[in-house]
Amino acid sequence: MLKNAVILSLIIPIVLFAQSGKIIGSVGDESTKEALFGANIVVLDESLGGSSAEDGTFIINDIPVGSYRIEVSFIGYVSQTFTDIIVRSSKPVTLKIELKPQNLESEAIVVSAGYFSEEKLTQSSVFNLQREEIRRFPGGFEDIVRTVTVLPGISINPAGGRNDLLVRGGGPSENLYIVNNIEVPNINHFNTQGSSSGSLSFINLDFVDDVKFSSGGFAARYGEKMSSILELNMSQGREDRFGGKALVSATQFGLNIEGPLLQNGNYIFSARKSYLDLIFKAAGLPFIPVYTDYNLITNYQISPANSLSFLSLIAVDNVDRNLDNLENRTKNARLLDNQQNQFINGMNWRHLHQNGFSDVTLSATLFSYRFSQADNNSIEYFNSKADELEYAAKFQSFSKINSDLDLRFGLTAKLLNNNNNTTFADSIFNRSGKRIAVNDLGINQKQIIDLWSQNYAAFVETNWNLNKNINLNLGLRINYYKVLEVPFYVAPRLGLKFQLNEKQSFKLNYGDYYQAPSNVWLINSKNKNLTALQNRMTILGWDYLVASDVRLTTELYYKKYSGLPVGILPGRTDYIVMSNTGSSYGGVEDDFQSFGFFDLKPEGTGQAYGFEILLQKKFSDVPIYGKASYSYGKSELKAFNRKTYPTRFDQRHIFNISGGYKIGSKWEVSGKFSYFSGIPYTPVYIPSKNETSPGSIQNLPEEYLSKRLDSGHHLDIRADRYFYFNNWTLIAFIDIQNVYNFKIPIRPQYDFWEDKIKTSSSLGILPSIGISAEF
């Protein structure tokens, strides 16, 4: 018996440590997408490597499981180092590598860009994140949107339960999402209508290859939004056999499957469902948000020059309420009943031609909202049924004119339908719990619209290497919004990069950015006079490559806003700027202001400015990675009453530090610390103790955004453990948010049941445990 135990103890480590996997992929030209034959791929710190075949593909077999870096080089191109390559026994690692041509007189020279591909771009304010950086992000719930909130210039919403992107003073409606070249209005569960934020992304992180986030200065090919671009490139399914992954955590459970499709195709599919009961019950909340989502991606290589991809995303959201007693009904009466269905479908055809490529993209999106509000006797006084449908067709073409000049142009056409039926009762409740006539809020009792409209856009841009040190990007974008009385808008863009030496560069970006008013703002027939919202943005940046794996960047920015929709009723809505709303779920808690049902005019203006510093280290031969950033910003808006207010997201100081350490091939620990100064808020009173306006919880507009919260901070930590077996991998993790249980200040809220004011988050320390099996 003892002898058998000894033999078993010797065999098990051998089985576990002898596991191996492989890396497969392709190497191509970053600009033209042309396959590169003979590129050299080396697994650093291992005597392993390979070269790309005639079609650009490569395969490296028998790699021991663990975390690796690979270096890819090709004559006449900038070599690139890729990090966080996790080799597992369960499935091959698939890489799509694109190298940037190097403008040199001798083609026999190979130049290295180290770990930071974005450092070579003309555009400033760009950050690239890989799948592993997002997956292991502490406190992120594996949410793509939450991960980028640690980057410079993004304000932190202390309310919790939301993943708002509040970029450099911009509001939550100013962000564009692009998934596999398809423009998507929103990628979040429980999104706020008219906004681009919500609670949690419904994109499955397992299907994301990499993320490019731009906080400003983006080129003419990007339109429709004023502040940021979040661009996702999705994975391809495995082509060797059927496989998948099962996940169970404290917040959700789900299943992924993937495999080959026909002769030259592949697919990946996932279904996930939330499990938030424990968290919400621990917080003492009488409701539970319930969500389900489905992701499907297929790819097919028609020929060496033609490929086709298809994307389908579905999200189903609703709120499960406990109305068993008066206390729960009273608390739920403050909560907007929120049911949403989101359907996103699209396909992209790519054709490679001589010295370039063309993309044709077709998509259809439907966002269906069902909102209602009821009193503590469950008697409904607000009901809204809205369907926002969008069909889009987009064409883009890129050509490399010569080694120093390229040209890109494109056209977009959209057909939109805004179908909205919103009804209020004769009398409703306001934010203070008083029953009032709906007209007292400046809102019509019934608003019905079934509006079809069209948007068109055209752009042209060029990248020009003036010499080895100066790169120029020039672009022009023209937008046409048929629904607006002033339909045409012309937006010039300029990007300039000066390479001082091998380690330092300066970047300058300037541009006009426009976006159409949100559909929900246009259901009031009097709001046809709105114009496109405008942001005129200037960014100056300096990059310093401290080492191949360490980068320091600093940026200054200035944004000037105009054409912002504002309320016009004296003393009732004339202090409201619509782009300054939408960072909550709305309803009675803000007198339905975030919907924009009332009369609006495009007369709001504003400005935002600040500077940012980021020090970033990539995982390298030193197995430590991380980011440290500091941001200072100020943002303010002028309303119709000619008064200037800070934005609701005016967070002057933000400090973030995040990083981790890999302990061999099986363990990884990471952490994130954030410090942020307080955001503006409007004081809240116990109604019976409000001397200025007895019976009201706020004095508006006199005290609108007149106070600031105290500063907040929190620490999140995470540990991951990998278990490798024959043909499958087990990953277990523990993620603890707010480790030292700091009571994060939130905007004061009046509790109608307990007759007291709440000033800090009800969620303190929050541990989460998860396990996934990949096969």
Side-chain angles (χ1 to χ4, degrees), residues 143-147 149 161-165 172 175-177 179 184-193 195-203 230 272 291-293 313-317 338 340-342 344 367 369 585:
D143 178 6
I144 296 162
V145 181
R146 288 176 189 268
T147 306
T149 59
R162 292 184 62 89
N163 63 358
D164 299 280
L165 272 181
N175 312 295
L176 176 64
Y177 301 109
V179 184
V184 179
N186 206 326
I187 60 171
N188 295 300
H189 289 289
F190 295 105
N191 75 75
T192 301
Q193 190 178 7
S195 173
S196 58
S197 298
S199 61
L200 190 75
S201 171
F202 53 72
I203 302 286
L230 185 63
R272 303 184 300 178
Y291 64 80
T292 306
D293 59 50
L313 307 171
I314 299 175
V316 179
D317 307 330
N338 190 335
Q340 301 181 20
N341 295 318
Q342 303 173 54
I344 298 166
F367 280 48
Y369 301 96
Y585 296 108

Side-chain angles (χ1 to χ4, degrees), residues 147-163:
T147 306
V148 301
T149 59
V150 76
L151 295 174
I154 302 179
S155 297
I156 297 172
N157 187 344
R162 292 184 62 89
N163 63 358

Side-chain angles (χ1 to χ4, degrees), residues 513-749:
Y513 300 87
Y514 294 96
Q515 72 178 64
S518 297
N519 287 331
V520 68
W521 304 344
L522 298 174
I523 71 168
N524 183 339
S525 60
K526 295 183 180 179
N527 293 342
K528 295 287 184 65
N529 63 343
L530 293 180
T531 60
L533 291 68
Q534 182 185 15
N535 172 22
R536 183 163 289 171
M537 187 180 345
T538 304
I539 302 170
L540 177 63
W542 171 65
D543 286 11
Y544 178 58
L545 202 60
V546 181
S548 62
D549 60 344
V550 180
R551 178 191 184 206
L552 175 67
T553 64
T554 63
E555 290 190 354
L556 299 168
Y557 66 88
Y558 179 77
K559 301 164 71 173
K560 185 174 180 61
Y561 287 97
S562 61
L564 306 180
V566 293
I568 61 175
L569 291 180
R572 287 191 285 177
T573 64
D574 63 346
Y575 63 95
I576 300 170
V577 181
M578 288 309 303
S579 58
N580 202 21
T581 65
S583 59
S584 66
Y585 296 108
V588 71
E589 69 175 24
D590 68 356
D591 287 342
F592 302 93
Q593 291 173 355
S594 63
F595 287 103
F597 293 140
F598 42 85
D599 297 354
L600 300 169
K601 286 190 176 181
E603 298 186 13
T605 60
Q607 63 176 354
Y609 54 88
F611 71 89
E612 303 158 0
I613 302 173
L614 170 67
L615 181 66
Q616 181 178 7
K617 184 193 180 301
K618 291 279 192 176
F619 171 75
S620 61
D621 52 336
V622 179
I624 298 175
Y625 58 87
K627 303 182 187 74
S629 67
Y630 168 75
S631 303
Y632 169 83
K634 182 177 180 180
S635 54
E636 56 189 15
L637 301 172
K638 182 178 288 187
F640 189 74
N641 62 7
R642 303 307 175 199
K643 293 183 179 180
T644 299
Y645 301 95
T647 68
R648 293 167 58 88
F649 337 107
D650 181 40
Q651 210 159 45
R652 300 293 172 81
H653 305 279
I654 305 171
F655 173 73
N656 287 307
I657 183 168
S658 63
Y661 177 66
K662 293 192 176 185
I663 308 171
S665 62
K666 295 185 178 181
W667 282 96
E668 183 173 358
V669 292
S670 56
K672 171 176 68 74
F673 175 78
S674 296
Y675 171 89
F676 42 92
S677 57
I679 56 177
Y681 72 92
T682 304
V684 172
Y685 301 90
I686 296 175
S688 61
K689 298 180 180 179
N690 187 345
E691 298 178 356
T692 302
S693 182
S696 297
I697 67 172
Q698 291 181 321
N699 300 322
L700 292 169
E702 295 80 11
E703 296 181 352
Y704 181 59
L705 299 178
S706 60
K707 301 290 185 180
R708 281 187 180 270
L709 297 178
D710 292 335
S711 298
H713 47 86
H714 61 86
L715 172 67
D716 305 330
I717 61 173
R718 177 178 173 125
D720 291 75
R721 172 68 160 92
Y722 298 86
F723 299 88
Y724 300 104
F725 304 95
N726 282 327
N727 298 321
W728 70 286
T729 303
L730 188 71
I731 306 171
F733 71 86
I734 180 170
D735 192 322
I736 305 176
Q737 297 186 44
N738 198 3
V739 172
Y740 49 80
N741 202 30
F742 178 75
K743 298 300 182 182
I744 298 175
I746 62 172
R747 289 190 174 99
Q749 300 172 354

Side-chain angles (χ1 to χ4, degrees), residues 353-372:
H353 52 75
Q354 187 176 8
N355 297 323
F357 66 94
S358 296
D359 283 331
V360 176
T361 310
L362 303 175
S363 63
T365 63
L366 171 62
F367 280 48
S368 179
Y369 301 96
R370 299 296 182 264
F371 299 127
S372 64

